[in-house]
Amino acid sequence: MKELEKFKEILKFHRLRITQSRLAVASILIQNRETPFTPEEIFDCIQRSDDLYCDQVSVYRTLSIFEDLGLVSKFLFHGQAARYMISISNKNTPYHKHYFKCDQCHWVEPLGDCILLKTEKRLEKKGYRNLHHHIEVTGLCPRCTT
Amino acid sequence: MKELEKFKEILKFHRLRITQSRLAVASILIQNRETPFTPEEIFDCIQRSDDLYCDQVSVYRTLSIFEDLGLVSKFLFHGQAARYMISISNKNTPYHKHYFKCDQCHWVEPLGDCILLKTEKRLEKKGYRNLHHHIEVTGLCPRCTT
DNA sequence: TTTTTTATTGCAACTAAATTGCAATAATGG
DNA sequence: CCATTATTGCAATTTAGTTGCAATAAAAAA
């Protein structure tokens, strides 16, 4: 499993330890690269699994570290718990930054290249720095439309 | 004050009562149309004011109603409380949908026309419905860059 | 203007999401 | 294999927001 190696490599590079908890969270995220999961959902997956273990608090702490390392992206969907998704690509499924998310079936669809790149370039020219952004498009997908 | 009349008019139209609480929240939002405020900040402003009064819970309930009526927009800034901002224009300051927000000084800058319109049109053609979106750009503004 | 109706409020209690402090534990370098 | 120290697990806490319900006040009716 090439992606788990990537997680290990980056942890090592930053002199962070490769622990049960971190491997557990990483493998759940890798197994579900199409759907953004809440910390609780990740925790539930780990509990249901026989060979993974991680405390709920450590799920939060691990996700926060993975986010700092750029390994996962954090999504804020209106009034819900934050959701996390792996942000490194494998050859079959390239990494997308923005998604549409169906309110009903939770289906997630990549929105293609980032539409904000031009806007950010413009701001950087004006002296803005450390730019981050988050785009959220929600609604009903064709299958859920009555 | 023309904008407060707009609030009253729309409340009346929906057969909602014009109350102290709603007028208080509305006037704070009108006085601060350039900065998105959290419910708590709005509550603090009201408490500091001599002639306004509203319970903290009613601030939440009022903001939720105003959002349903399209009078305010809700912003989710990474890991913080939600922020609300008036979403009706007056002649001097036209209404913008998306903003840059400085992490340090909380300065807010409109980002011009919505860059997502094209994307949403494309999705609607494919059968997606009830589309909503939220864009958040954060960083350091030129004045806060060392 | 007064009375009646009922939407709205204020309070307290509650829930959900996430964070923190700290002693116990386990991963890594030597 | 041991020593060091990052990380964990647990309980307690914080923060943001919600809910139930009796009291209140806005608006309609008389």
Side-chain angles (χ1 to χ4, degrees), chain A residues 94-110:
Chain A
Y95 166 54
H96 290 272
K97 252 198 156 174
H98 307 296
Y99 299 85
F100 163 84
K101 188 201 165 212
C102 180
D103 291 324
Q104 207 154 94
C105 70
H106 288 215
W107 161 260
V108 170
E109 161 123 17

Side-chain angles (χ1 to χ4, degrees), chain A residues 3-142:
Chain A
E3 286 164 298
L4 200 55
E5 294 311 311
K6 179 85 180 177
F7 273 83
K8 288 185 186 174
E9 182 193 312
I10 291 186
L11 284 170
K12 258 187 191 153
F13 180 78
H14 290 272
R15 271 157 232 189
L16 293 164
R17 292 183 180 172
I18 292 159
T19 64
Q20 287 302 307
S21 306
R22 287 170 185 167
L23 291 175
V25 173
S27 37
I28 296 302
L29 290 168
I30 290 167
Q31 280 166 45
N32 298 282
R33 56 156 44 253
E34 297 299 327
T35 316
F37 272 18
T38 64
E40 206 180 345
E41 286 165 350
I42 293 166
F43 177 63
D44 289 346
C45 287
I46 291 171
Q47 290 221 298
R48 262 183 260 111
S49 158
D50 289 329
D51 39 62
L52 299 179
Y53 176 79
C54 182
D55 183 72
Q56 185 154 22
V57 176
S58 289
V59 174
Y60 280 103
R61 290 197 266 228
T62 298
L63 288 170
S64 162
I65 287 168
F66 285 177
E67 199 199 357
D68 292 343
L69 299 177
L71 291 166
V72 304
S73 314
K74 184 178 187 177
F75 295 82
L76 296 175
F77 287 112
H78 232 193
Q80 300 176 34
R83 289 177 179 273
Y84 295 82
M85 210 170 177
I86 196 169
S87 66
I88 50 179
S89 41
N90 70 19
K91 35 195 159 17
N92 310 321
T93 50
Y95 166 54
H96 290 272
K97 252 198 156 174
H98 307 296
Y99 299 85
F100 163 84
K101 188 201 165 212
C102 180
D103 291 324
Q104 207 154 94
C105 70
H106 288 215
W107 161 260
V108 170
E109 161 123 17
L111 286 183
D113 296 328
C114 178
I115 33 264
L116 271 186
L117 283 180
K118 239 189 277 175
T119 307
E120 289 202 341
K121 283 241 170 69
R122 210 186 67 224
L123 290 172
E124 294 215 322
K125 258 186 211 150
K126 290 202 213 163
Y128 294 76
R129 293 289 177 269
N130 283 49
L131 295 177
H132 291 278
H133 66 265
H134 167 75
I135 296 182
E136 161 189 331
V137 182
T138 52
L140 294 175
C141 75

Side-chain angles (χ1 to χ4, degrees), chain B residues 21-29 42 46 54 58-59 62-63 66:
Chain B
S21 306
R22 287 169 186 168
L23 292 176
V25 173
S27 37
I28 296 302
L29 290 168
I42 293 166
I46 291 172
C54 182
S58 290
V59 173
T62 298
L63 288 170
F66 285 176

